[in-house]
Amino acid sequence: MIKKKNYKFWFCTGSQDLYGDECLRNVAEHSKIIVEKLNASGILPYEIVWKPTLITNELIRKTFNEANLDEECAGVITWMHTFSPAKSWILGLQEYKKPLLHLHTQFNEEIPYDTIDMDFMNENQSAHGDREYGHIVSRMRIERKVVVGHYTDPVVINKIASWMVTAIGIIESSHIRVMRVADNMRNVAVTEGDKVEAQIKFGWEVDTYPVNEIAESVAAVSESDINALVDEYYDKYNILLEGRDEAEFRRHVAVQAGIEIGFERFLEEKNYQAIVTHFGDLGPLKQLPGLAIQRLMEKGYGFGAEGDWKVAAMVRLMKIMTENKKDAKGTSMLEDYTYNLVKGEEGILEAHMLEICPSIADGPISIKCNPLSMGDREDPARLVFTSKEGKGIAVSLIDLGNRFRLIINDVNCKKVKKPMPKLPVATAFWTPEPDMYVGAEAWILAGGAHHTAFSYDLTAEQIGDWAAACGIEAVYIDKDTKIRDFKRDLMLGEVFYR
Ligand code: MN
């Protein structure tokens, strides 16, 4: 199981000593109240930590460097209560390496019409101070989020909460290690990519191990450990024998239990959080990892099929980003498989040969054993289910030869019209925004893959901001997409990202 980290965000208030000690006391008092209210809102997925008011170049620089070094700090929220001359911020900002939020708020919600005087104006001038500060951040071309509004407004707090998720993605991206126990599928283009550049841009470490080594770890799993896990499967899932011999079925399921335990031990021992497999490169493994991989994905591991390490890393990234989400609906690798093109019922049936994460399941989950036309191993056991309804995002990271592009599509997940009793795999079904035709046309023009990293629990903005922080192009396919504008966006991207 993958361990959680106790991330926090720092709240740094800017000011100066021009208006005297009493003003500075109020600034500190006000910022403490803001932090308390934000933490008490129940909306934020991570705690905010108050920091003493920043008024000098030295303290600003020191605080940002402390934030860099603090392993629990996932980002800094800045706010200028009064005027804070922005040249004071240059060195600190220059040396700061973590996500930055500029909260453009003020302590009072309403102008105090009856009592307002120049002292009040000088003490409460975020409108003024935040512009000076914003200018220097823009001039220094630092990627940051700006959130505007009163700190008690749930809309504002939700925007901070949303940014926190992006920040966790940025911080955690450089802790993703992908284990490849197979190379890319022969002749396939879109799943290939530059692993060195991925490490430079995203911090991902992508390494290969011979499949035989992980297979040895599977072979070393004891019979009693396997039996205990099979019992757990039989408790948790429906068993769909479909005419197969009960003992033979259980033996097939036991193979997957051995793979789950052996793979997880090997991944933990070597410190990897994502894995890719390939049906054509299984060494001594008796079955293509199906149920085993589905369970590992549910535990938080990233996965990519046919050697697709980019999808494996993206699935892991999106699982970490959504880890603290209340009532999460799920995140999985998926594959665009087949269409329904009946007018008014258009959509894409999403599946894979086996490996869909049960976190996206709706209703009962069953185990089936069926032959696999690919590869040359025995019939693998797999979890079969249909997926939840609702909005989600499908994401594809592609390598354009000289750079990466992230394609993000808002999709609406639905139920298919009728059950599909002969289909022995888990499925989802969605209609891309803005509709099937424009959505698929834009996806293909952008060069998006057939494999996607999918989540119900993230927004296009959150994952797009992650891409921006990594310095890569993100293109959005959503309700506003028009093909002519979209093609122009792609052309602008070609000019801007080199
Ligand atoms: Mn595939």
Side-chain angles (χ1 to χ4, degrees), residues 243-404:
R244 295 181 86 107
D245 176 74
E246 203 172 335
E248 180 254 355
F249 187 98
R250 196 177 167 101
R251 274 197 302 278
H252 280 237
V253 173
V255 169
Q256 294 288 335
I259 296 173
E260 179 182 336
I261 298 168
F263 271 33
E264 188 166 17
R265 285 181 186 162
F266 196 74
L267 288 163
E268 273 200 11
E269 181 195 315
K270 311 276 185 210
N271 186 29
Y272 288 86
Q273 300 80 33
I275 184 167
V276 304
T277 59
H278 177 0
F279 62 84
D281 192 358
L282 294 172
L285 295 174
K286 290 188 192 129
Q287 297 174 14
L288 174 64
L291 194 160
I293 286 293
Q294 294 178 285
R295 298 254 315 171
L296 289 174
M297 254 193 283
E298 192 178 24
K299 288 174 180 174
Y301 288 92
F303 173 74
E306 292 95 50
D308 192 340
W309 55 268
K310 298 199 299 302
V311 156
M314 286 306 300
V315 169
R316 169 64 184 155
L317 176 75
M318 289 161 72
K319 282 186 175 283
I320 308 168
M321 290 173 77
T322 55
E323 196 172 50
N324 272 17
K325 170 107 178 172
K326 278 182 206 147
D327 308 318
K329 290 172 74 178
T331 298
S332 180
M333 173 191 148
L334 282 167
E335 181 168 78
D336 299 318
Y337 235 108
T338 201
Y339 286 130
N340 190 42
L341 289 174
V342 173
K343 290 285 176 195
E345 299 171 11
E346 294 95 336
I348 314 173
L349 187 65
E350 301 287 325
H352 203 258
M353 53 184 80
L354 301 173
E355 313 92 330
I356 306 300
C357 179
S359 65
I360 67 171
D362 189 26
I365 300 176
S366 307
I367 302 182
K368 285 194 186 194
C369 271
N370 287 77
L372 193 69
S373 54
M374 311 276 224
D376 53 357
R377 296 294 189 280
E378 64 180 42
D379 301 354
R382 78 288 304 271
L383 298 173
V384 180
F385 51 84
T386 60
S387 301
K388 299 178 185 87
E389 295 183 89
K391 291 181 187 303
I393 55 165
V395 168
S396 174
L397 178 69
I398 59 164
D399 187 332
L400 289 167
N402 58 338
R403 64 188 181 87
F404 291 105

Side-chain angles (χ1 to χ4, degrees), residues 58 60 65 105 108 176 185 200 246 345 364 394 403 423 483:
E58 292 73 22
I60 291 169
N65 276 296
T105 191
N108 54 301
I176 293 177
M185 185 175 164
I200 294 169
E246 203 172 335
E345 299 171 11
R403 64 188 181 87
L423 194 62
I483 291 299

Side-chain angles (χ1 to χ4, degrees), residues 108 110-117 120:
N108 54 301
E110 190 175 35
I111 294 172
Y113 301 105
D114 298 333
T115 56
I116 188 164
D117 57 12
F120 182 92

Side-chain angles (χ1 to χ4, degrees), residues 11 30-40 48-50:
F11 193 91
H30 292 169
S31 62
K32 273 184 192 162
I33 290 170
I34 291 178
V35 170
E36 278 164 21
K37 294 253 186 209
L38 289 172
N39 282 330
I48 299 179
V49 178
W50 178 86

